Amino acid sequence: MPQHLIVRGNDRKQIFFSEQDRLYFLRCLGETRAQRGCDIHAFVLMSNHVHILATPRAEHGASRMMQDLGRAYVTHVNKLHGRTGALYEGRFKSSLVETARYFLACMRYIETNPVRARMVSHPASYEWSSHGQNMTGQPSGLITPHPEYLSLGKGAVERAESYARLFDEPQGDEEISAIRQGARQGRAVGSERYCKELSTFLGKTVRFVPQGRPARCVPFYREKGL
């Protein structure tokens, strides 16, 4: 199941102090995702937080990847910049993402973060995200294409064109709100059917919290170590 993962700087302070820091973070992400069996589909490195969309292929894969990544990166930053104390704002946040309805929306949300922050006018202008790789239609290296992404076209050119069209118009407020609230509150983001299937899988009743937006559900999935 895809997960939207977020790590923030302590007291909203920056976690990257140089280009080398960002490069080192991506290097660690590549190593830890391979070691922990996670596929990375999208990411963005902002100044004081990071978004990652990943699918773990092993039990506890996502949480262990984020723990290993945090230890390696924080050790690097503290040593390189002669700092002490907490770098991150506690534990990373996570939210399950329904594939059919929200997967591409979550990719779009992540890669347009620099645009919403008014750092650039288009995600293609921001160097520290997965947008450039995903725009090729055949991403490689750190990025593993998800079946939902591959369904955008029969080949790389068709996928690239379809993916580019996703960014032609601003993302809707309700979609953004659902993804944000899911991540902040640790809720799975999806349709009513998805939440019911999740409830069956977990063997627990999942409470719906629609509040005028697409259905969201409480994160009992953590008990399964997803």
Side-chain angles (χ1 to χ4, degrees), residues 47-202:
S47 60
N48 65 355
H49 67 284
V50 173
H51 291 266
I52 299 170
L53 182 61
T55 300
R57 291 177 281 104
E59 189 175 6
H60 306 296
S63 61
R64 288 173 178 168
M65 176 186 74
M66 296 302 288
Q67 289 166 7
D68 291 350
L69 176 61
R71 281 193 292 268
Y73 180 69
V74 172
T75 299
H76 159 83
V77 168
N78 285 349
K79 182 178 180 179
L80 184 64
H81 299 287
R83 66 177 306 281
T84 58
L87 181 67
Y88 290 165
E89 185 181 68
R91 187 182 184 274
F92 70 93
K93 297 184 182 297
S94 64
S95 174
L96 285 176
V97 178
E98 180 184 13
T99 300
R101 186 170 181 178
Y102 282 101
F103 183 84
L104 292 175
C106 194
M107 290 184 71
R108 186 182 176 197
Y109 172 84
I110 289 172
E111 293 180 355
T112 53
N113 248 255
V115 177
R116 287 192 298 275
R118 299 183 180 180
M119 299 171 69
V120 294
S121 60
H122 192 276
S125 301
Y126 192 72
E127 181 180 2
W128 303 104
S129 85
S130 54
H131 188 74
Q133 293 181 59
N134 283 321
M135 277 296 296
T136 65
Q138 194 170 0
S140 58
L142 182 60
I143 299 300
T144 300
H146 187 276
E148 194 70 16
Y149 171 89
L150 294 175
S151 71
L152 289 173
K154 295 180 180 179
V157 173
E158 188 175 341
R159 282 194 294 272
E161 292 174 348
S162 298
Y163 195 68
R165 285 195 292 271
L166 294 176
F167 298 85
D168 286 345
E169 299 293 336
Q171 196 162 17
D173 290 341
E174 287 193 355
E175 196 168 77
I176 290 174
S177 180
I179 294 170
R180 279 179 176 167
Q181 292 302 315
R184 288 174 181 170
Q185 300 174 17
R187 299 180 186 274
V189 180
S191 64
E192 182 175 351
R193 178 180 177 181
Y194 172 76
C195 291
K196 285 182 176 178
E197 290 175 350
L198 187 59
S199 177
T200 300
F201 171 74
L202 297 172

